[in-house]
Amino acid sequence: KGRGGHPFLLRREVWQEMVDTPMEGGARPVVRRDRSRVLRLEVDDPGIHTDVDTPDDYQCLLRGQTSALILAGGQGSRLGGVDKSGLVCEGEELLDRTVGVLGQVASEIILSVQGIPRRVPTGVRFIQDQYLGCGPLAGIHAGMQECSHPWVIVVACDMPHLSASLLSYLVEEAQGVDALVPMRRGRAEPLHAVYRREATISRVEKILERGGRRLMELLDEMEVRFLDEARWSSAIPEGGNSFRNLNTLEDLDESGI
C-alpha cells in the first residue's frame, strides 16, 4: 500500500515489494521484484500468469491499468472560437496527433466535449459534459465516469508536442497518491497530469455542486504529489515541449501551425 493506504504498482527501482492493485474483471495482481531483477505478475485466476522481465513488459502492465482523457470542451475564445482539436500540425489534426501519443501509454482513450463532437477518431469514446460552462472540471467529472481503469492521464486537446515518454514516466511516479501533477517553470500543470479515478470522482462532483470551477480546488482536496521540474527533466530531458499548448496566434506560429 502507498501513502494513505492507496494501492499502487511496483516502481522499477524497488528491490523487494509486494503490492495489490485492482485489475479488469476484479483480478488482484501481486507484483514482486527479487534480486534477479525479475518482476512477476500473479493474479487470483490461475489461468493468468505473466512474467514481467523487461522495462517494456513493465510499461505494458502500466498501460493496461491506465486510461487517457482528452479535454476538448473549451471554446477557443482567445483564438476567435476556433475548434483547436481540428488544427493541423505537421500534416495531422491535433486530435489525431494526441490520440496517437496517448495510445502508446494508455489502453483506453476518452474524449470529453460540451456538445456533439465534429468527429471521433477510431477506437476513442466520447462523453458530453454534464455541467455546461464549468471549464475543465466539468470535463474531468464526465470523463472520469466513462473511464474504466484506476489511473487516468488528463490532457488538453491543444498540446501538439505531447511526449509519450514523459506521460509514461508520470504514470509510474503517480503510484501511491491521488494525483501526480508536474511542475514547469514554477507552475503546476494539472492538465498534463495523472489522477486516480476513484479519488477524483468522489471529489469533483461535490466541488461542481457547490459552484466550484477552479482546478486547484480539486487538487486542494486530494493527496497530490507535485513533481519537481528538475526530477522529470532529468529523467526525460526532451519532455519540456510536451506542455506547450495553443492559446494565442504566437503559440500557433511557434508550434508550426
Side-chain angles (χ1 to χ4, degrees):
K1 296 287 183 179
R3 285 177 289 171
H6 303 319
F8 65 100
L9 290 172
L10 182 62
R11 293 272 302 282
R12 283 182 291 182
E13 66 268 24
V14 177
W15 278 93
Q16 184 73 45
E17 192 71 54
M18 296 180 64
V19 293
D20 195 4
T21 303
M23 295 182 71
E24 292 183 71
R28 309 288 296 186
V30 174
V31 185
R32 292 188 179 92
R33 179 182 284 280
D34 57 28
R35 292 189 181 276
S36 65
R37 285 190 169 274
V38 174
L39 285 169
R40 192 168 192 79
L41 172 65
E42 300 173 355
V43 298
D44 290 342
D45 183 346
I48 303 175
H49 201 83
T50 305
D51 285 331
V52 186
D53 299 328
T54 69
D56 286 344
D57 292 339
Y58 180 77
Q59 292 303 323
C60 184
L61 174 61
L62 282 182
R63 182 178 178 274
Q65 296 293 289
T66 304
S67 302
L69 173 59
I70 304 171
L71 301 181
Q75 301 300 311
S77 56
R78 283 180 282 184
L79 287 174
V82 67
D83 177 0
K84 291 190 283 188
S85 69
L87 294 173
V88 176
C89 179
E90 299 178 357
E92 190 174 25
E93 286 193 7
L94 286 190
L95 181 56
D96 295 319
R97 192 176 175 91
T98 301
V99 168
V101 173
L102 294 176
Q104 300 176 50
V105 295
S107 57
E108 171 185 70
I109 301 175
I110 307 299
L111 176 67
S112 174
V113 295
Q114 283 206 46
I116 301 298
R118 178 176 54 87
R119 69 181 187 84
V120 180
T122 301
V124 175
R125 303 198 308 276
F126 82 91
I127 186 73
Q128 293 177 308
D129 295 352
Q130 299 173 32
Y131 291 83
L132 299 181
C134 295
L137 276 185
I140 291 174
H141 169 263
M144 288 286 174
Q145 295 183 69
E146 186 69 16
C147 292
S148 57
H149 297 316
W151 303 101
V152 182
I153 299 169
V154 174
V155 298
C157 70
D158 62 343
M159 293 177 154
H161 303 294
L162 284 173
S163 165
S165 296
L166 179 57
L167 292 171
S168 180
Y169 178 75
L170 297 183
V171 173
E172 290 185 42
E173 293 291 317
Q175 310 305 314
V177 293
D178 291 336
L180 186 287
V181 179
M183 301 294 295
R184 181 171 180 264
R185 297 176 180 174
R187 300 182 61 180
E189 295 282 355
L191 294 184
H192 186 297
V194 180
Y195 296 81
R196 191 165 66 92
R197 177 182 177 274
E198 181 181 355
T200 306
I201 287 178
S202 65
R203 291 168 172 83
V204 68
E205 185 163 3
K206 294 178 182 178
I207 294 171
L208 288 166
E209 283 291 325
R210 67 175 185 241
R213 299 292 182 269
R214 295 171 52 250
L215 269 171
M216 292 309 295
E217 291 182 71
L218 174 61
L219 299 182
D220 286 344
E221 296 193 10
M222 302 176 74
E223 183 181 352
V224 180
R225 180 184 176 198
F226 292 96
L227 189 66
D228 290 340
E229 183 169 359
R231 184 178 178 94
W232 63 254
S233 62
S234 175
I236 314 292
E238 73 280 9
N241 281 337
S242 189
F243 300 93
R244 181 180 294 180
N245 59 5
L246 306 174
N247 290 316
T248 66
L249 293 176
E250 183 179 13
D251 293 336
L252 297 182
D253 289 339
E254 290 178 354
S255 295
I257 296 176

